Amino acid sequence: MSTGIVLHHLVDSRSQRVLWLLASPLSGEELQIPYTLKIYQRTPTKQAPPELAQVHPLGKSPVITDGDLVVAESGAIVEYLLQKYGNGRFQPPSEGLVKNIYYTHYAEGTLQNLLSNWRIYGMIGERAPWPLTYLSRIIMSKAQHAVLLPTIEASTAMVEKDLEESKTIWFAGGSEPTSADFMMLLPLEILPRAMGERIPKKIKEWVDAAHRRPAYQRALKAGGEYAYAKLLPEASEQ
Amino acid sequence: MSTGIVLHHLVDSRSQRVLWLLASPLSGEELQIPYTLKIYQRTPTKQAPPELAQVHPLGKSPVITDGDLVVAESGAIVEYLLQKYGNGRFQPPSEGLVKNIYYTHYAEGTLQNLLSNWRIYGMIGERAPWPLTYLSRIIMSKAQHAVLLPTIEASTAMVEKDLEESKTIWFAGGSEPTSADFMMLLPLEILPRAMGERIPKKIKEWVDAAHRRPAYQRALKAGGEYAYAKLLPEASEQ
């Protein structure tokens, strides 16, 4: 098998945050980790293409190969890359250790799933065949608001408070983003999907700070389509 | 604030795996970590009770307090406890490092969410008010089978293969369970919810091995109601 890291990157997906990490100095001029970007387009129904199933049995992205090793699941990839190649970079200060562990898991374990479900419920509502369409839209909209929204709103308030209490813009209070920040990128970018304009100030500033990182800009240029980056225009135009 | 670890434990919940970990020798006679178990009953509608919101803003379980620190999110709690108090126990052998990171994140990041959604879709189907009940049952059952089941089945096949390839019964191939095993407990216990009787052999053996651990038995006795432990009778009666 080939040597070096390959990021199997699906456009418009969770993979963008791994690309942000890989586009950081961690993988560039300073540490010289060779990595190859392999871009996968979505199918006409917006699914991951079948070729991804040849890389990992679940057929999802992100997934990286590192020689013979295959690593999937965003949180595992971020932890793997930082542990193996981080060389001390992107580590939280000791007072931010717990916040870092928490948000590294919370991003996919809770928030991203709430937001993915928000979209899936909407799709179930829309896609039921006529004559069920109207009823299914009502049922699924009620489910979005009764099942998902209270937890999303509690989450937003919690994240806002933790960012307010952080000594820096980043979750763990260090001078650089840590695994918590890399993981929280996508859910905080797509939060308006459920919350509309009601995104609190610190979260907007965090998204803006991520968007202004040169590595994020490089990742955005490299990764192909990524609609989520445009979701918070008020912040990114500041 | 009080010293020592308190596990705020909701019956019949994700928290059972933290209790399994805390009931291990890690926290008992050998390492002498003091911990207190505080049990919360579910409300009549099976929700977490409001008192949990006084411990952590999302009001979910598991959550632990360790002096002034509050740690939520199963994966974060397991990693925190092993890093701070593990003293070298429950660590994967080097060849199992990546499998351990992967399944530690995959358990909540993917599999548990699929299985939680399986139940939530069923509930949405059942709970729509008459005259929508019949139609919503059809819509949600179709959604279970079209949206969730293919990924659950691919996941089951992947887990089975990885367990077959492991040198021991545990995910990372070591002599003891690691964070991957603690995290995979609940999703593998409730897999029959979606898969019925079609649970492959190695997964059954893994669940059975977990159930036979003395620490698991202690946790079961300590934790109050926990229906999931009875879901795989064929395996546990072996």
Side-chain angles (χ1 to χ4, degrees):
Chain A
M1 225 186 213
S2 65
T3 54
I5 295 169
V6 179
L7 170 60
H8 300 266
H9 174 79
L10 178 65
V11 299
D12 254 347
S13 83
R14 286 165 159 84
S15 178
Q16 194 71 23
R17 53 194 166 190
V18 178
L19 193 52
W20 175 25
L21 173 58
L22 282 171
S24 290
L26 174 68
S27 60
E29 309 79 51
E30 297 176 22
L31 295 182
Q32 301 291 348
I33 301 173
Y35 86 95
T36 309
L37 180 62
K38 190 166 173 193
I39 292 185
Y40 297 77
Q41 299 298 326
R42 288 182 182 270
T43 67
T45 57
K46 302 286 179 195
Q47 302 295 300
E51 298 85 57
L52 272 169
Q54 291 164 19
V55 185
H56 183 269
L58 297 188
K60 301 270 169 77
S61 173
V63 52
I64 64 165
T65 48
D66 185 2
D68 288 335
L69 270 176
V70 180
V71 191
E73 197 76 29
S74 307
I77 294 171
V78 167
E79 284 204 29
Y80 171 81
L81 289 173
L82 291 180
Q83 280 176 27
K84 186 159 176 195
Y85 299 107
N87 204 10
R89 289 288 307 276
F90 306 124
Q91 293 304 311
S94 61
E95 67 274 18
L97 275 175
V98 170
K99 281 272 180 283
N100 189 54
I101 295 180
Y102 176 67
Y103 280 106
T104 299
H105 283 271
Y106 165 83
E108 280 292 318
T110 297
L111 187 56
Q112 179 58 41
N113 275 291
L114 289 165
L115 295 168
S116 295
N117 283 349
W118 186 273
R119 185 158 73 173
I120 291 168
Y121 286 20
M123 281 164 35
I124 293 171
E126 294 302 323
R127 290 189 186 175
W130 188 90
L132 303 186
T133 321
Y134 179 72
L135 292 176
S136 81
R137 255 191 231 147
I138 294 175
I139 293 165
M140 295 317 296
S141 170
K142 272 190 201 276
Q144 282 179 324
H145 289 83
V147 179
L148 304 176
L149 198 56
T151 310
I152 293 171
E153 287 183 335
S155 289
T156 306
M158 175 186 77
V159 171
E160 182 73 4
K161 184 158 173 284
D162 278 338
L163 288 176
E164 274 167 4
E165 287 170 2
S166 175
K167 281 185 189 158
T168 65
I169 190 74
W170 307 113
F171 276 96
S175 60
E176 293 189 311
T178 62
S179 61
D181 299 285
F182 290 109
M183 289 302 293
M184 287 293 284
L185 179 70
L186 180 62
L188 291 189
E189 285 181 320
I190 66 176
L191 194 54
R193 187 185 280 180
M195 295 281 292
E197 299 290 311
R198 294 175 299 132
I199 309 296
K201 182 166 174 286
K202 276 286 168 189
I203 295 180
K204 279 188 185 171
E205 287 174 10
W206 182 96
V207 173
D208 193 41
H211 286 184
R212 280 190 273 105
R213 300 278 289 186
Y216 182 93
Q217 297 289 336
R218 285 197 293 276
L220 197 59
K221 203 170 274 182
E225 197 184 334
Y226 188 61
Y228 305 126
K230 299 166 212 148
L231 280 177
L232 286 173
E234 323 81 44
S236 40
E237 280 167 10
Q238 270 168 13
Chain B
M1 225 184 214
S2 65
T3 54
I5 295 169
V6 180
L7 170 61
H8 301 267
H9 174 79
L10 177 66
V11 299
D12 253 349
S13 83
R14 287 166 157 84
S15 177
Q16 195 70 22
R17 52 194 166 190
V18 178
L19 193 52
W20 176 25
L21 173 57
L22 282 171
S24 289
L26 173 68
S27 61
E29 310 79 51
E30 296 177 23
L31 295 182
Q32 301 292 346
I33 301 174
Y35 85 95
T36 309
L37 180 62
K38 190 167 173 192
I39 293 186
Y40 297 73
Q41 300 298 325
R42 288 182 182 270
T43 67
T45 57
K46 302 287 180 194
Q47 303 295 298
E51 298 84 59
L52 272 168
Q54 291 164 18
V55 186
H56 183 268
L58 297 188
K60 303 268 169 78
S61 174
V63 53
I64 63 166
T65 47
D66 185 1
D68 288 335
L69 268 177
V70 181
V71 191
E73 196 78 26
S74 307
I77 295 171
V78 168
E79 285 203 28
Y80 171 81
L81 289 173
L82 291 180
Q83 279 175 27
K84 186 159 176 195
Y85 299 107
N87 206 9
R89 289 286 308 276
F90 306 125
Q91 292 305 311
S94 60
E95 67 275 19
L97 275 176
V98 170
K99 282 273 179 285
N100 189 54
I101 296 180
Y102 176 68
Y103 279 105
T104 298
H105 283 271
Y106 165 83
E108 280 291 319
T110 297
L111 187 56
Q112 179 57 40
N113 275 291
L114 290 164
L115 296 167
S116 295
N117 284 347
W118 185 274
R119 184 158 73 171
I120 291 168
Y121 286 20
M123 280 165 35
I124 294 172
E126 294 303 322
R127 290 188 186 175
W130 188 90
L132 302 187
T133 320
Y134 179 72
L135 291 177
S136 81
R137 257 191 231 145
I138 295 175
I139 293 166
M140 296 318 296
S141 170
K142 273 190 199 277
Q144 282 178 326
H145 288 83
V147 178
L148 303 176
L149 197 57
T151 310
I152 294 171
E153 288 183 334
S155 288
T156 306
M158 175 186 78
V159 171
E160 182 73 4
K161 184 158 174 282
D162 278 338
L163 288 176
E164 275 167 5
E165 287 171 2
S166 174
K167 281 185 189 158
T168 66
I169 190 74
W170 307 113
F171 276 97
S175 60
E176 293 189 309
T178 62
S179 61
D181 299 284
F182 290 107
M183 288 302 294
M184 287 294 284
L185 180 69
L186 179 62
L188 291 188
E189 285 181 321
I190 65 176
L191 195 55
R193 186 184 279 181
M195 296 281 291
E197 298 291 309
R198 294 176 296 134
I199 309 295
K201 182 165 175 287
K202 277 285 167 190
I203 294 179
K204 278 187 186 171
E205 287 174 10
W206 182 95
V207 172
D208 193 43
H211 286 183
R212 279 190 273 104
R213 299 280 288 185
Y216 182 93
Q217 297 288 337
R218 284 198 293 277
L220 198 59
K221 202 169 276 184
E225 197 184 333
Y226 187 61
Y228 306 126
K230 301 165 212 148
L231 280 175
L232 287 172
E234 322 82 44
S236 41
E237 281 166 12
Q238 270 168 14

